[in-house]
Amino acid sequence: MRDHGGNLDAAMARWGGGPDDWVDLSTGINPTPYPLPDIPARAWGALPTRADFDALSDAAQAAYGAAGAVLPVAGAQAAIQLLPRVLPRGRARVLGPTYNEHAASFAGAGWETETVASVEALEGADVAVVVNPNNPDGRRLSREALSALASKVGLLVVDESFADPEPELSMADEGTPNILILRSFGKFYGLAGLRLGFVLGSPDRIAALAEASGPWPVSGPAIAIGQAALADSTWRDETVVRLARDADRLDSLATGMGWTVEGGTTLFRLYRTTDARAAQERLAQARVWSRIFPYSTSWIRLGLPDGADWTQIEAALRA
């Protein structure tokens, strides 16, 4: 199994304790989830209709300002798994270091796959993948840079899973035929277990993906919750402000103990330490779980704490 954040069971197996004893900062998920609306009984007892899916797609189109078509899927991960199996096989290049599932999925489907370190190295690929903002370092490419890149590749896939707090980065309103955009619902709305995401793109590409994704790619409850949350602009605006404030607070704590801010977004922060593995182990002894990376001995990533969890993370960092 590939290495991921969210593997709290591995931390508990080594350092003990139960889920309630730990603060899991190993993911980039909003720790204050969207308050669940009343879910109609029909959402549980009946299969979603075409009208249900259309209503959810319309809500996502309005929330993201999408110029093209929208396909609901079971999280952005479902799209990552689906794309290499729907597109004609060729050369895939992924701008890295980044979320490892993109390259792994293309390679697993038999594509010639390469992770490259520069935008220029993506040019000429049949499919180029850019995560924007990037995970884990928060690297951002401008809309202009992405538009220029799209003209030099067969298909540009832009993973905007962490773009909700920064809508000015999104390519959703471009409507460029050879750009596909992936959006995660669960990260910003704090409901990762709902397994909901979206693919945005031209109608013909979305139609091909819809055919491959099957008749019911997301559940009735996910449709009901997604519609309500995506339409709630007040909650969205307040959450953007809160996340920015909490990211600054976490940075202050981390830099106060000698770490350097390497990057990140307002859903996760990346720090440079003298020894990331040792830092992770010290935090784990205080029941705080973090994320480190096989390609860096100094990077450690923390999601944001919430509520009473701040007390535990502050004590862990100061220790």
Side-chain angles (χ1 to χ4, degrees):
M1 185 175 179
R2 290 186 286 271
D3 183 36
H4 289 286
N7 57 339
L8 186 59
D9 52 349
M12 291 187 294
R14 178 172 176 184
W15 283 282
D20 292 341
D21 301 316
W22 285 81
V23 178
D24 187 2
L25 304 185
S26 68
T27 67
I29 298 168
N30 182 353
T32 306
Y34 184 78
L36 295 180
D38 292 332
I39 301 174
R42 178 184 167 278
W44 299 101
L47 290 171
T49 65
R50 182 69 266 160
D52 294 331
F53 283 108
D54 289 345
L56 177 59
S57 295
D58 290 346
Q61 192 166 40
Y64 299 139
V70 177
L71 174 67
V73 290
Q77 184 63 44
I80 292 170
Q81 298 296 129
L82 185 63
L83 281 173
R85 291 156 177 82
V86 173
L87 299 171
R89 193 176 300 168
R91 294 167 300 162
R93 293 177 187 159
V94 180
L95 183 61
T98 192
Y99 183 52
N100 60 24
E101 285 296 328
H102 286 287
S105 185
F106 276 101
W111 286 62
E112 178 188 328
T113 306
E114 184 181 7
T115 298
V116 299
S118 69
V119 174
E120 293 73 21
L122 295 169
E123 296 175 7
D126 296 303
V127 174
V129 180
V130 174
V131 180
N132 198 48
N134 189 46
N135 173 17
D137 60 1
R139 176 192 59 224
R140 292 154 175 83
L141 296 182
S142 69
R143 289 163 53 103
E144 293 74 19
L146 290 170
S147 292
L149 176 60
S151 67
K152 300 173 183 176
V153 299
L155 175 67
L156 176 61
V157 176
V158 185
D159 184 338
E160 294 183 351
S161 289
F162 294 100
D164 290 76
E166 303 176 64
E168 68 278 3
L169 287 177
S170 178
M171 298 292 287
D173 63 351
E174 285 285 301
T176 306
N178 73 323
I179 295 180
L180 277 177
I181 296 168
L182 311 185
R183 297 295 295 240
S184 167
F185 175 85
K187 292 180 175 64
F188 179 72
Y189 289 93
L191 296 170
L194 196 66
R195 306 313 304 138
L196 178 62
F198 301 93
V199 187
L200 287 53
S202 64
D204 58 333
R205 291 190 185 277
I206 294 299
L209 289 169
E211 179 68 23
S213 67
W216 302 288
V218 299
S219 70
I223 292 173
I225 295 168
Q227 276 187 261
L230 289 165
D232 194 339
S233 59
T234 299
W235 185 91
R236 181 168 62 246
D237 293 345
E238 290 173 350
T239 297
V240 169
V241 173
R242 177 182 57 78
L243 289 172
R245 182 192 66 226
D246 288 354
D248 287 343
R249 180 179 177 181
L250 189 59
D251 283 352
S252 295
L253 288 170
T255 55
M257 59 173 291
W259 293 0
T260 302
V261 179
E262 190 74 10
T265 72
T266 57
L267 285 165
F268 60 84
R269 309 302 295 157
L270 185 69
Y271 302 108
R272 182 175 295 277
T273 73
T274 55
D275 186 333
R277 185 167 297 279
Q280 183 183 57
E281 291 186 358
R282 287 197 301 272
L283 289 173
Q285 289 166 7
R287 302 289 193 268
V288 173
W289 192 225
S290 57
R291 179 84 165 93
I292 60 175
F293 305 92
Y295 47 79
S296 174
T297 60
S298 59
W299 282 5
I300 185 167
R301 194 191 71 189
L302 301 180
L304 300 185
D306 182 51
D309 291 344
W310 278 104
T311 301
Q312 189 168 340
I313 181 64
E314 287 172 358
L317 287 170
R318 287 170 178 157

